């Protein structure tokens, strides 16, 4: 038995709470107006599972970070806190109510085992059961990265090494494997639940060119021609110099998980690290950036 903690606040407040609770619980889910289980426009709900003994620590950490944000002038109120007892299997089962076969971009169809949907000749099929990891293709940030990947492929890019940082369900790594079957791909996440979920989905899709690793971005991973990162802006910005070290000269970094109002901040951070912003795409409240290392 687990305790499910839900913190409902503004989108700005949710980013702060999610970063804090992810360190305590190993992973969180963020629900906003664009997700399958939707929050109200302008609001977001951070959902985390923890042991009953850890509930007070998790709630105190959320209260502390929101208090600091208030003092700094950030808009976080009103805050609504809910807790309940939950079985871990519920997280998997709830997706079956909402997640259906979905067309993404020009040539991808993402479908779960419980809904095969319909396909066209030439489609890339991704068989995906998300489990306890982000990434079904339904969120705009995932779609933005896949669209940027398709754009690279259409321009003739043939990367030899690809990094999917913060791989979640593994959807971006699988998409990269479909677009670039000769590439060697590394899927990395700091949450072992996510890399386990990626491994399951790689096996389900018969993808053998992707290696998974539970870790954070580091120089020991080597360098990559293309780096995919669907991660929050407050995590991306300080990592920009590390992205530079991990990116081959002439390589590309495809970023999302960025709210439209945060896009300039991320572009400036990556520009300061040496990258050139070559493309920006927006979908609803979310932005995707393609940056190149000259």
């Amino acid at each position: 038995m687990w305790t499910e903690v839900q913190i409902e606040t503004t989108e700005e407040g949710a980013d702060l709470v999610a970063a804090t609770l992810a360190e305590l619980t190993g992973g969180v889910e963020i629900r906003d107006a664009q997700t399958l289980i939707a929050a109200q426009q302008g609001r977001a709900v951070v959902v985390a599972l923890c042991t009953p003994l850890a509930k007070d620590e998790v709630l105190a950490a959320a209260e502390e970070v929101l208090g600091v944000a208030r003092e700094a002038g950030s808009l976080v109120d009103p805050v609504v806190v809910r807790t309940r007892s939950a079985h871990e299997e519920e997280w998997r089962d709830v997706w079956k109510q909402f997640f259906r076969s979905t067309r993404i971009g020009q040539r991808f169809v993402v479908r779960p085992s419980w809904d095969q949907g319909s396909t066209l000749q030439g489609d890339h099929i991704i068989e995906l059961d998300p489990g306890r990891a982000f990434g079904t293709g339904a969120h705009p940030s995932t779609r933005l990265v896949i669209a940027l990947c398709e754009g690279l492929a259409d321009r003739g890019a043939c990367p030899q090494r690809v990094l999917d940082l913060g791989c979640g369900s593994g959807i971006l790594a699988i998409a990269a494997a479909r677009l670039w079957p000769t590439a060697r791909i590394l899927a990395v996440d700091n949450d072992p639940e996510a890399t386990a979920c990626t491994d399951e989905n790689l096996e389900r899709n018969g993808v053998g060119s992707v290696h998974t690793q539970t870790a954070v971005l580091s120089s020991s991973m080597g360098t990559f021609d293309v780096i995919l990162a669907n991660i929050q802006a407050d995590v991306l910005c300080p990592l920009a110099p590390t992205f530079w070290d991990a990116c081959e000269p002439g390589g590309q970094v495809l970023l999302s998980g960025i709210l439209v109002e945060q896009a300039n901040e991320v572009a400036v951070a990556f520009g300061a690290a040496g990258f050139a912003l070559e493309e920006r795409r927006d979908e609803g409240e979310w932005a995707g950036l393609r940056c190149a290392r000259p």
Side-chain angles (χ1 to χ4, degrees), residues 225-246:
D225 304 302
V226 173
I227 301 176
L228 316 175
N230 186 9
I231 304 175
Q232 297 164 209
D234 61 336
V235 176
L236 288 172
C237 288
L239 281 177
T242 310
F243 274 84
W244 176 267
D245 293 337

Side-chain angles (χ1 to χ4, degrees), residues 173-174 177-178 181 183-185 201-203 205-212:
I174 296 169
R178 295 284 191 255
R184 291 174 295 144
I185 302 167
N201 286 319
L202 292 173
E203 182 177 0
N205 286 273
V207 175
S209 59
V210 178
H211 172 70
T212 60

Side-chain angles (χ1 to χ4, degrees), residues 4 25 32 38 48 51 88 98 109 125 149 160 163 183 197 222 233 235 284:
E4 180 183 277
T25 63
D32 58 27
T51 64
E88 187 173 348
F98 299 95
V109 174
I125 309 302
C149 284
Q160 296 303 301
L163 173 65
C197 185
V235 176

Side-chain angles (χ1 to χ4, degrees), residues 41 93 211 285:
Q41 194 71 33
D93 292 342
H211 172 70
E285 299 177 344

Side-chain angles (χ1 to χ4, degrees), residues 77-181:
D77 293 311
V79 175
V80 180
V81 178
R82 308 179 187 91
T83 63
R84 71 179 184 93
S85 297
H87 290 282
E88 187 173 348
E89 291 79 7
E90 289 182 38
W91 203 98
R92 287 180 181 266
D93 292 342
V94 73
W95 289 96
K96 297 182 180 181
Q97 304 174 41
F98 299 95
F99 184 28
R100 294 291 183 261
S101 180
T102 306
R103 179 168 294 278
I104 297 175
Q106 300 175 22
R107 53 177 76 88
F108 284 95
V109 174
V110 181
R111 64 189 189 189
S113 58
W114 54 87
D115 181 22
Q116 294 301 288
S118 60
T119 60
L120 302 174
Q121 186 175 2
D123 282 342
H124 292 307
I125 309 302
I126 300 180
E127 307 280 357
L128 187 71
D129 286 355
R132 290 186 61 218
F134 177 83
T136 64
H139 197 276
S141 62
T142 307
R143 293 197 295 266
L144 284 164
V145 178
I146 288 179
L148 290 169
C149 284
E150 286 186 313
L152 273 184
D154 289 343
R155 285 187 289 274
C158 295
Q160 296 303 301
R161 295 200 75 209
V162 177
L163 173 65
D164 176 9
L165 183 65
C167 57
S169 67
I171 184 172
L172 297 181
I174 296 169
R178 295 284 191 255
L179 289 171
W180 301 300

